[in-house]
Amino acid sequence: MSDHYYSSNPKAAHQRKTWETVLRGQNYRFISDAGVFAKEGVDFGSRTLIEAMKIAPAAKVLDVGCGYGPIGLTAARLASQGHVTMLDVNSRAVELAKENAAANKISNVTILESDLYAALDEGQYDIVLTNPPIRAGKATVYAIFEGAHDRLKPGGALWIVIQKKQGAPSAKEKLESLFASVEEVAKDKGYRIFKAIKQ
């Protein structure tokens, strides 16, 4: 089956659903659909990242592979005087993220359809967040790491969630080849949260 959540234009028949959840103590209402990642609800890996990530109120944040938006929209509420740019290759996910931003009255976001970082200008970020699309392959995941390093300000941090069985040890080695400091800040049920700081 060629239709994945990391396809640019999923062909799966629409199965829109709406549900409510609590993230970082705040209520959210999300709309999801077939053809996007974790359509049944916020996945455990994303939740683990959301609970661990530290974002300053004025931070400039980038969410790579935003899906329908739970990580980036939570970040936008945390960065209440900052701004979050959210990227996804999946056009359906991008439209859902825009709907979810509006439904949750979150306006300090820019949501773009983008193959990795292609749609971005030359701006630099304080924080990059990603729950990377492991099934898209190691080359894609490592391209996310490399692009994050290029777009972070000195002292900025990449926050990533990855499962141990899906390559957390090799991902950590890759991060250590790029970043000055790589710390495992949380782990739960086989998921690891890494924070990688740029020199």
Side-chain angles (χ1 to χ4, degrees), residues 27-186:
N27 295 318
Y28 291 85
R29 185 165 169 267
F30 288 119
I31 304 160
S32 71
D33 200 350
V36 302
F37 178 65
K39 68 179 187 289
E40 299 297 332
V42 181
D43 63 291
F44 188 81
S46 293
R47 281 187 178 275
T48 305
L49 176 58
I50 286 165
E51 291 304 320
M53 64 193 190
K54 291 185 169 54
I55 295 171
K60 188 177 177 191
V61 181
L62 179 62
D63 176 11
V64 183
C66 66
Y68 53 79
I71 296 171
L73 295 177
T74 305
R77 282 192 176 165
L78 294 171
S80 54
Q81 293 124 55
H83 192 85
V84 179
T85 302
M86 299 165 58
L87 308 177
D88 206 291
V89 70
N90 182 327
S91 57
R92 190 175 290 184
V94 168
E95 289 310 308
L96 288 166
K98 289 176 179 176
E99 279 189 66
N100 288 327
N104 291 286
K105 298 182 171 56
I106 296 169
S107 59
N108 59 328
V109 290
T110 302
I111 303 168
L112 302 170
E113 187 176 338
S114 182
D115 186 359
L116 295 175
Y117 300 94
L120 286 185
D121 59 19
E122 293 302 300
Q124 298 272 286
Y125 297 86
D126 300 301
I127 301 279
V128 178
L129 304 168
T130 189
N131 181 352
I134 300 299
R135 291 199 316 217
K138 195 172 272 191
T140 298
V141 174
Y142 287 2
I144 290 173
F145 296 173
E146 289 159 3
H149 182 271
D150 292 345
R151 286 160 183 82
L152 279 166
K153 297 173 183 175
L158 167 65
W159 290 77
I160 169 181
V161 58
I162 194 162
Q163 268 185 289
K164 186 175 182 191
K165 68 181 183 190
Q166 290 182 321
S170 61
K172 185 167 189 266
E173 282 179 27
K174 177 64 176 178
L175 291 169
E176 286 170 342
S177 77
L178 294 166
F179 290 87
S181 146
V182 180
E183 179 190 356
E184 182 182 289
V185 293

